[in-house]
Amino acid sequence: MAETGASTLPPTPPPHSPVTRAERFVWLTARVLEQRLFAHHFRGAAADPVETALDAYRNEDGGYGHALEPDLRGPVSRPLHTAHALRVLDAVARCAGQRVERVCRYLTSVSTPDGALPAIPPGRPEYPTAPFVPDMADPPSDLLATGPVVGLLHRNEVWHAWLFRATDFCWQAVESLEKSHPYEIEAAVTFLDSAPDRPRAEAAADRLGRLVRAHGLVALDPDDLDAHPVSPGYASGEHHFPYDYARTPRSLARAWFTDDEMTCSLDHLAARQQEDGGWPVRWRHWAPAPALEARPVVTIEALRTLSAYGRTID
């Protein structure tokens, strides 16, 4: 017969590895999609459940909605949701086939005459949207929305008639950048990392790297962030670091930074894991649900970046 009272067994020691701490955070807070993405990336689970979870956000027009991108609420399809969906499909090596054909038809239907994507197309019902997401008129053609989509489609060797116009737009937008901000540079890098014309991409990336450093768009010393003012309109403390531009060592943006600068930024990223196991959202918090839903996304991205650079996360 078991004895009553306090157990004499020693307490189980708390898990200390970054991925184990993050796993608990994901199971406590994440949507089904991020739970399945975590299991796929870090626990060897299959890709099919990720696709199944992603289907819940897909609409009849071939686009994605339903707050897949947490800062855009509501059911309607928007290009930023579709970019998020393509990132998921690329992450599980499923960015191909009829699913992507439908995506390209949707992108064609909402693109501007020059092939670019607005962050939010006109004529849609009004749903809550983060105040920092640009509307149709500001600007009508948006590298922020277009660059990542075009880059991911090229990365997966997708070809569609819309891509020719959209690629031309991205080249023109990237090569004419004189003043910019970190998220636009990140979008440009995603395009350049997979653009078919590699010599042209390398030349454009070299110019952008010099622009980033000259305009102070990167915080190179995490211990002295006061010396690195954030871009206008960004939240207090919304700094960008070398790892934000060069998510993997294969990125063209990796050449922008010395080994010491990259090591310092990765040390900072690793140290940003919080007590609950997740990483923080650095951009402006404008409502509770978007911030809650974004943290698991940010956490998975942080672990994948650290892993890509050979950092121990297990």
Side-chain angles (χ1 to χ4, degrees), residues 23-250:
E23 184 172 33
R24 174 175 170 79
F25 170 77
V26 165
W27 281 111
L28 282 172
T29 66
R31 304 177 295 190
V32 172
L33 175 60
E34 282 73 45
Q35 291 172 5
R36 291 181 170 180
L37 268 173
F38 185 95
H40 174 76
H41 288 311
F42 307 111
R43 296 300 184 228
D48 286 351
V50 178
E51 283 196 280
T52 300
L54 184 61
D55 277 342
Y57 299 90
R58 184 161 55 87
N59 289 320
E60 290 297 320
D61 60 8
Y64 289 78
H66 307 280
L68 176 57
E69 181 63 42
D71 283 322
L72 283 74
R73 314 308 289 181
V76 297
S77 298
R78 290 175 173 172
L80 292 179
H81 292 312
T82 302
H84 192 124
L86 289 175
R87 286 196 298 273
V88 172
L89 292 170
D90 175 69
V92 298
R94 295 291 178 86
C95 193
Q98 291 186 354
R99 180 193 303 274
V100 177
E101 280 291 322
R102 291 194 294 268
V103 166
C104 288
R105 287 199 294 271
Y106 162 74
L107 296 172
T108 302
S109 72
V110 297
S111 65
T112 60
D114 55 2
L117 298 171
I120 301 177
R124 300 293 190 184
E126 290 296 325
Y127 294 96
T129 300
F132 45 80
V133 175
D135 61 25
M136 178 61 186
D138 183 27
S141 299
D142 191 2
L143 179 61
L144 191 67
T146 314
V149 168
V150 175
L152 287 169
L153 292 175
H154 280 310
R155 172 183 167 89
N156 289 275
E157 299 182 347
V158 174
W159 287 102
H160 187 274
W162 170 77
L163 261 179
F164 291 99
R165 288 186 298 129
T167 300
D168 287 342
F169 166 79
C170 288
W171 278 124
Q172 189 278 328
V174 168
E175 293 176 336
S176 63
L177 282 178
E178 295 297 339
K179 295 181 65 177
S180 187
H181 59 93
Y183 291 118
E184 187 173 48
I185 297 293
E186 288 179 29
V189 169
T190 304
F191 167 69
L192 294 173
D193 276 346
S194 299
D197 189 337
R198 300 314 299 155
R200 188 177 180 182
E202 290 167 6
D206 180 68
R207 190 184 74 86
L208 284 188
R210 286 184 272 111
L211 184 151
V212 163
R213 296 183 76 99
H215 292 195
L217 301 182
V218 60
L220 296 174
D221 184 359
D223 294 326
D224 187 18
L225 292 179
D226 289 340
H228 302 281
V230 299
S231 295
Y234 281 30
S236 175
E238 194 175 354
H239 295 92
H240 285 246
F241 302 91
Y243 62 76
D244 287 307
Y245 298 108
R247 292 284 179 181
T248 76
R250 298 181 300 278

Side-chain angles (χ1 to χ4, degrees), residues 248-306:
T248 76
R250 298 181 300 278
S251 173
L252 291 173
R254 175 61 186 86
W256 300 353
F257 310 108
T258 68
D259 289 348
D260 286 346
E261 288 168 346
M262 184 57 68
T263 296
C264 186
S265 79
L266 292 169
D267 289 345
H268 177 72
L269 176 61
R272 293 280 286 171
Q273 188 173 22
Q274 299 189 324
E275 192 171 321
D276 62 6
W279 267 260
V281 171
R282 286 177 286 165
W283 56 88
R284 194 183 317 154
H285 295 191
W286 62 282
L292 179 66
E293 292 172 358
R295 279 196 71 203
V297 176
V298 170
T299 296
I300 291 170
E301 288 178 351
L303 289 170
R304 293 189 72 202
T305 297
L306 292 168

